[in-house]
Amino acid sequence: MSMNGAEALLKTMIDAGVEVCFANPGTSEMQLVAAIDKIPGMRPILGLYEGVVTGAADGYGRMADKPAATLLHLGSGYSNGMANLHNAKRAFSPIVNIIGEHAVDHIPLDAPLTSDIEGHASLHTDWLRTCQSADEMPKDGAEAVAAARAGRITNLIVPANYAWTESQGAVAPLAPASRPKVSDDDLASAAEALRNGQDCCLFLGGRALREEGLVLARRIEQACGAKVICEVFPARIQRGRGRMTVERLPYLGEFAADVLKDFKHMVVLGTKAPVSFFAYPGKPSVLTPAECNIQSLASAEDDQLDALQRLANLLDAPELVLPEDPVLPAIPGKEDVFTAEAVGAVVANYLPENAIVSDEANTSGIFSYAMYEGAAPHDWLTLTGGAIGQGLPVAVGAAVACPDRKVINLQADGAAMYTNQSLWTMAREQLDVVTVIFNNSSYAILNLELMRVGVENPGERAKSMLDLSNPNLDWVKIAEGQGVTASRATNVEEFEAQFKAAVASKGPRLIEVIL
């Protein structure tokens, strides 16, 4: 069967295991749109904004452990999705971005949508390629998928004329590169630091926070007394009853520094040594003590589970003694004040088995995270790069990757407005997502940050820039206007009844909690 470049590219990617394309295409991508229709095997999912598309690909990659494709329109479309690609890069999510480009002979005419696509696309990846012919397109696609499977974002720019030109056809998939293994010398050095009798910390991120990695980390803790702590914003951490609990480093720098103040040695695995999220007047940006010896044992790209297993063997770590499961938090009574913590208590008690939590609660979730240690086993996904607007689209991608699992999106109201179009995609695809909107009518975390940078007694104009009232957002109407069943809770009793009903049903639901 003869194929044009677009069809050969799509067939190659499908053969390499790419099953989903999150898309917001334009004119320059019409041949690729037609190819998805003609070549079976890739599910197209439309997002009404590119930040939804890229965030969904991130959520999919975190849960599927393989890449989805995105289809983006020229440099402007790519730029609209950049914030959530920033988050995806910090999560080391596998994504293949297919970015349309004008036909080669049209580019010199400087049409209105002409831009430096390579300049835009180089910001989030070290794998970037512009196709040079219809015959090269499938080869480029095979390499892009293989590179993405190693935990990278890959950007493939496709000139329109190569997409419509006849190609020699699809090519065979390439084997992904294996993750590098940590050297024996580095392992020996880490083992020596952990068993020298001084206060030490095993600081974890990345794949080390999967269930197998946490078991190994706890065995190492039992062998040498090292305190196990995880990064502030893990891409995916497996939690709940029957699993190992791990202390999460606080977001606020001064609290984090207090947690770390006594450590003389820190072995870092799957992430980087902790630093403050921002600089603050008179406060240090490095959170570890000056005398703390920091050893980076395994990067996010390395084989972290292998490193933990070999480290446990070096330390003669005993088999794990399972601790008792933490108790679930008590649900406040109907007379109690309706707080974000009350919402967390209800969700923790009724969290379905094997659920996925997409957490962008921000300020409203600060004091609720620990409540879920005694909940049913679940995966927890966080705001890895700090660019808000991630929670809703990551929930979309997670639900597509795991259609048999309930997804719970704990969502701040201000951040939700960045990508509220995700609700439309949830409705169209009938995704099993329950979104809990914390409506405090404020960028509350920025009110906190205003004080922390030393601004005292801000005036009305300053405060207005952080205020989401006047007019108030009506999330029930926003959700219903995009096809999602929605309700509003103003007290604990209402929320408990609504959340129980939402998790018992299938399909998208939204609950707005008025705080």
Side-chain angles (χ1 to χ4, degrees), residues 482-501:
Q482 299 188 67
V484 173
T485 301
S487 58
R488 179 175 293 115
T490 60
N491 58 53
V492 176
E493 189 175 29
E494 289 176 355
F495 178 68
E496 183 175 5
Q498 292 172 24
F499 188 75
K500 284 174 65 178

PDB file of all heavy atoms in Angstrom, residues 482-501:
ATOM      1  N   GLN A 482     -19.680  22.493  30.030  1.00  0.00           N
ATOM      2  CA  GLN A 482     -18.779  21.652  29.224  1.00  0.00           C
ATOM      3  C   GLN A 482     -19.174  20.174  29.271  1.00  0.00           C
ATOM      4  O   GLN A 482     -18.412  19.314  28.836  1.00  0.00           O
ATOM      5  CB  GLN A 482     -17.330  21.844  29.686  1.00  0.00           C
ATOM      6  CG  GLN A 482     -16.858  23.284  29.523  1.00  0.00           C
ATOM      7  CD  GLN A 482     -15.381  23.453  29.795  1.00  0.00           C
ATOM      8  OE1 GLN A 482     -14.541  22.958  29.064  1.00  0.00           O
ATOM      9  NE2 GLN A 482     -15.051  24.172  30.860  1.00  0.00           N
ATOM     10  N   GLY A 483     -20.368  19.906  29.815  1.00  0.00           N
ATOM     11  CA  GLY A 483     -20.906  18.557  29.758  1.00  0.00           C
ATOM     12  C   GLY A 483     -20.596  17.668  30.937  1.00  0.00           C
ATOM     13  O   GLY A 483     -20.839  16.453  30.884  1.00  0.00           O
ATOM     14  N   VAL A 484     -20.079  18.234  32.040  1.00  0.00           N
ATOM     15  CA  VAL A 484     -19.729  17.447  33.222  1.00  0.00           C
ATOM     16  C   VAL A 484     -20.775  17.665  34.313  1.00  0.00           C
ATOM     17  O   VAL A 484     -21.101  18.808  34.658  1.00  0.00           O
ATOM     18  CB  VAL A 484     -18.334  17.830  33.748  1.00  0.00           C
ATOM     19  CG1 VAL A 484     -18.036  17.135  35.076  1.00  0.00           C
ATOM     20  CG2 VAL A 484     -17.267  17.470  32.721  1.00  0.00           C
ATOM     21  N   THR A 485     -21.306  16.590  34.867  1.00  0.00           N
ATOM     22  CA  THR A 485     -22.244  16.675  35.987  1.00  0.00           C
ATOM     23  C   THR A 485     -21.544  17.300  37.185  1.00  0.00           C
ATOM     24  O   THR A 485     -20.423  16.911  37.532  1.00  0.00           O
ATOM     25  CB  THR A 485     -22.759  15.278  36.362  1.00  0.00           C
ATOM     26  OG1 THR A 485     -23.396  14.705  35.221  1.00  0.00           O
ATOM     27  CG2 THR A 485     -23.737  15.337  37.519  1.00  0.00           C
ATOM     28  N   ALA A 486     -22.200  18.272  37.825  1.00  0.00           N
ATOM     29  CA  ALA A 486     -21.523  19.022  38.886  1.00  0.00           C
ATOM     30  C   ALA A 486     -22.480  19.311  40.028  1.00  0.00           C
ATOM     31  O   ALA A 486     -23.707  19.336  39.863  1.00  0.00           O
ATOM     32  CB  ALA A 486     -20.956  20.325  38.333  1.00  0.00           C
ATOM     33  N   SER A 487     -21.880  19.532  41.203  1.00  0.00           N
ATOM     34  CA  SER A 487     -22.650  19.894  42.399  1.00  0.00           C
ATOM     35  C   SER A 487     -21.788  20.785  43.271  1.00  0.00           C
ATOM     36  O   SER A 487     -20.592  20.960  43.028  1.00  0.00           O
ATOM     37  CB  SER A 487     -23.076  18.639  43.165  1.00  0.00           C
ATOM     38  OG  SER A 487     -21.936  17.869  43.548  1.00  0.00           O
ATOM     39  N   ARG A 488     -22.418  21.359  44.294  1.00  0.00           N
ATOM     40  CA  ARG A 488     -21.708  22.291  45.190  1.00  0.00           C
ATOM     41  C   ARG A 488     -21.922  21.842  46.635  1.00  0.00           C
ATOM     42  O   ARG A 488     -23.024  21.467  47.027  1.00  0.00           O
ATOM     43  CB  ARG A 488     -22.238  23.713  44.995  1.00  0.00           C
ATOM     44  CG  ARG A 488     -21.581  24.757  45.900  1.00  0.00           C
ATOM     45  CD  ARG A 488     -22.082  26.162  45.563  1.00  0.00           C
ATOM     46  NE  ARG A 488     -21.633  26.586  44.243  1.00  0.00           N
ATOM     47  CZ  ARG A 488     -22.432  26.820  43.220  1.00  0.00           C
ATOM     48  NH1 ARG A 488     -23.747  26.667  43.344  1.00  0.00           N
ATOM     49  NH2 ARG A 488     -21.929  27.208  42.051  1.00  0.00           N
ATOM     50  N   ALA A 489     -20.837  21.886  47.421  1.00  0.00           N
ATOM     51  CA  ALA A 489     -20.920  21.521  48.836  1.00  0.00           C
ATOM     52  C   ALA A 489     -20.485  22.704  49.694  1.00  0.00           C
ATOM     53  O   ALA A 489     -19.443  23.319  49.421  1.00  0.00           O
ATOM     54  CB  ALA A 489     -20.036  20.310  49.132  1.00  0.00           C
ATOM     55  N   THR A 490     -21.275  23.005  50.699  1.00  0.00           N
ATOM     56  CA  THR A 490     -20.970  24.127  51.596  1.00  0.00           C
ATOM     57  C   THR A 490     -20.726  23.675  53.025  1.00  0.00           C
ATOM     58  O   THR A 490     -20.431  24.500  53.884  1.00  0.00           O
ATOM     59  CB  THR A 490     -22.119  25.153  51.579  1.00  0.00           C
ATOM     60  OG1 THR A 490     -23.327  24.514  52.017  1.00  0.00           O
ATOM     61  CG2 THR A 490     -22.320  25.721  50.181  1.00  0.00           C
ATOM     62  N   ASN A 491     -20.840  22.359  53.282  1.00  0.00           N
ATOM     63  CA  ASN A 491     -20.535  21.834  54.608  1.00  0.00           C
ATOM     64  C   ASN A 491     -20.084  20.384  54.470  1.00  0.00           C
ATOM     65  O   ASN A 491     -20.159  19.785  53.387  1.00  0.00           O
ATOM     66  CB  ASN A 491     -21.737  21.965  55.556  1.00  0.00           C
ATOM     67  CG  ASN A 491     -22.971  21.252  55.037  1.00  0.00           C
ATOM     68  OD1 ASN A 491     -22.937  20.071  54.699  1.00  0.00           O
ATOM     69  ND2 ASN A 491     -24.092  21.987  54.961  1.00  0.00           N
ATOM     70  N   VAL A 492     -19.598  19.815  55.568  1.00  0.00           N
ATOM     71  CA  VAL A 492     -19.037  18.465  55.547  1.00  0.00           C
ATOM     72  C   VAL A 492     -20.081  17.443  55.129  1.00  0.00           C
ATOM     73  O   VAL A 492     -19.811  16.544  54.321  1.00  0.00           O
ATOM     74  CB  VAL A 492     -18.445  18.095  56.925  1.00  0.00           C
ATOM     75  CG1 VAL A 492     -17.947  16.649  56.918  1.00  0.00           C
ATOM     76  CG2 VAL A 492     -17.322  19.032  57.308  1.00  0.00           C
ATOM     77  N   GLU A 493     -21.283  17.563  55.661  1.00  0.00           N
ATOM     78  CA  GLU A 493     -22.332  16.594  55.374  1.00  0.00           C
ATOM     79  C   GLU A 493     -22.657  16.559  53.879  1.00  0.00           C
ATOM     80  O   GLU A 493     -22.784  15.483  53.281  1.00  0.00           O
ATOM     81  CB  GLU A 493     -23.575  16.942  56.184  1.00  0.00           C
ATOM     82  CG  GLU A 493     -24.671  15.889  56.135  1.00  0.00           C
ATOM     83  CD  GLU A 493     -25.831  16.246  57.051  1.00  0.00           C
ATOM     84  OE1 GLU A 493     -26.076  17.450  57.290  1.00  0.00           O
ATOM     85  OE2 GLU A 493     -26.501  15.310  57.531  1.00  0.00           O
ATOM     86  N   GLU A 494     -22.782  17.725  53.271  1.00  0.00           N
ATOM     87  CA  GLU A 494     -23.063  17.782  51.840  1.00  0.00           C
ATOM     88  C   GLU A 494     -21.924  17.172  51.029  1.00  0.00           C
ATOM     89  O   GLU A 494     -22.154  16.394  50.092  1.00  0.00           O
ATOM     90  CB  GLU A 494     -23.279  19.233  51.409  1.00  0.00           C
ATOM     91  CG  GLU A 494     -24.570  19.855  51.905  1.00  0.00           C
ATOM     92  CD  GLU A 494     -24.680  21.321  51.518  1.00  0.00           C
ATOM     93  OE1 GLU A 494     -23.725  21.882  50.941  1.00  0.00           O
ATOM     94  OE2 GLU A 494     -25.739  21.921  51.815  1.00  0.00           O
ATOM     95  N   PHE A 495     -20.699  17.522  51.390  1.00  0.00           N
ATOM     96  CA  PHE A 495     -19.574  17.016  50.610  1.00  0.00           C
ATOM     97  C   PHE A 495     -19.447  15.509  50.751  1.00  0.00           C
ATOM     98  O   PHE A 495     -19.190  14.807  49.758  1.00  0.00           O
ATOM     99  CB  PHE A 495     -18.270  17.688  51.026  1.00  0.00           C
ATOM    100  CG  PHE A 495     -17.085  17.155  50.265  1.00  0.00           C
ATOM    101  CD1 PHE A 495     -16.947  17.400  48.908  1.00  0.00           C
ATOM    102  CD2 PHE A 495     -16.130  16.356  50.890  1.00  0.00           C
ATOM    103  CE1 PHE A 495     -15.882  16.889  48.177  1.00  0.00           C
ATOM    104  CE2 PHE A 495     -15.058  15.843  50.177  1.00  0.00           C
ATOM    105  CZ  PHE A 495     -14.936  16.111  48.815  1.00  0.00           C
ATOM    106  N   GLU A 496     -19.621  14.973  51.947  1.00  0.00           N
ATOM    107  CA  GLU A 496     -19.496  13.527  52.135  1.00  0.00           C
ATOM    108  C   GLU A 496     -20.503  12.789  51.259  1.00  0.00           C
ATOM    109  O   GLU A 496     -20.161  11.805  50.583  1.00  0.00           O
ATOM    110  CB  GLU A 496     -19.697  13.171  53.601  1.00  0.00           C
ATOM    111  CG  GLU A 496     -19.499  11.685  53.896  1.00  0.00           C
ATOM    112  CD  GLU A 496     -19.586  11.351  55.367  1.00  0.00           C
ATOM    113  OE1 GLU A 496     -19.893  12.264  56.174  1.00  0.00           O
ATOM    114  OE2 GLU A 496     -19.356  10.182  55.729  1.00  0.00           O
ATOM    115  N   ALA A 497     -21.744  13.261  51.236  1.00  0.00           N
ATOM    116  CA  ALA A 497     -22.775  12.599  50.432  1.00  0.00           C
ATOM    117  C   ALA A 497     -22.453  12.706  48.942  1.00  0.00           C
ATOM    118  O   ALA A 497     -22.589  11.729  48.183  1.00  0.00           O
ATOM    119  CB  ALA A 497     -24.137  13.219  50.727  1.00  0.00           C
ATOM    120  N   GLN A 498     -21.986  13.883  48.505  1.00  0.00           N
ATOM    121  CA  GLN A 498     -21.701  14.078  47.087  1.00  0.00           C
ATOM    122  C   GLN A 498     -20.487  13.287  46.643  1.00  0.00           C
ATOM    123  O   GLN A 498     -20.467  12.715  45.540  1.00  0.00           O
ATOM    124  CB  GLN A 498     -21.513  15.574  46.800  1.00  0.00           C
ATOM    125  CG  GLN A 498     -22.791  16.384  46.950  1.00  0.00           C
ATOM    126  CD  GLN A 498     -22.546  17.878  46.842  1.00  0.00           C
ATOM    127  OE1 GLN A 498     -21.570  18.328  46.243  1.00  0.00           O
ATOM    128  NE2 GLN A 498     -23.419  18.671  47.442  1.00  0.00           N
ATOM    129  N   PHE A 499     -19.468  13.221  47.482  1.00  0.00           N
ATOM    130  CA  PHE A 499     -18.260  12.488  47.094  1.00  0.00           C
ATOM    131  C   PHE A 499     -18.533  10.986  47.048  1.00  0.00           C
ATOM    132  O   PHE A 499     -18.074  10.291  46.127  1.00  0.00           O
ATOM    133  CB  PHE A 499     -17.110  12.797  48.045  1.00  0.00           C
ATOM    134  CG  PHE A 499     -15.787  12.228  47.595  1.00  0.00           C
ATOM    135  CD1 PHE A 499     -15.089  12.803  46.550  1.00  0.00           C
ATOM    136  CD2 PHE A 499     -15.255  11.091  48.195  1.00  0.00           C
ATOM    137  CE1 PHE A 499     -13.886  12.271  46.102  1.00  0.00           C
ATOM    138  CE2 PHE A 499     -14.054  10.550  47.766  1.00  0.00           C
ATOM    139  CZ  PHE A 499     -13.362  11.146  46.720  1.00  0.00           C
ATOM    140  N   LYS A 500     -19.276  10.463  48.021  1.00  0.00           N
ATOM    141  CA  LYS A 500     -19.635   9.044  48.006  1.00  0.00           C
ATOM    142  C   LYS A 500     -20.396   8.694  46.728  1.00  0.00           C
ATOM    143  O   LYS A 500     -20.128   7.670  46.094  1.00  0.00           O
ATOM    144  CB  LYS A 500     -20.493   8.701  49.229  1.00  0.00           C
ATOM    145  CG  LYS A 500     -19.723   8.600  50.528  1.00  0.00           C
ATOM    146  CD  LYS A 500     -20.660   8.402  51.709  1.00  0.00           C
ATOM    147  CE  LYS A 500     -21.405   7.104  51.655  1.00  0.00           C
ATOM    148  NZ  LYS A 500     -22.281   6.910  52.856  1.00  0.00           N
ATOM    149  N   ALA A 501     -21.328   9.551  46.337  1.00  0.00           N
ATOM    150  CA  ALA A 501     -22.093   9.294  45.112  1.00  0.00           C
ATOM    151  C   ALA A 501     -21.206   9.365  43.875  1.00  0.00           C
ATOM    152  O   ALA A 501     -21.352   8.575  42.933  1.00  0.00           O
ATOM    153  CB  ALA A 501     -23.244  10.293  45.001  1.00  0.00           C
TER     154      ALA A 501
END
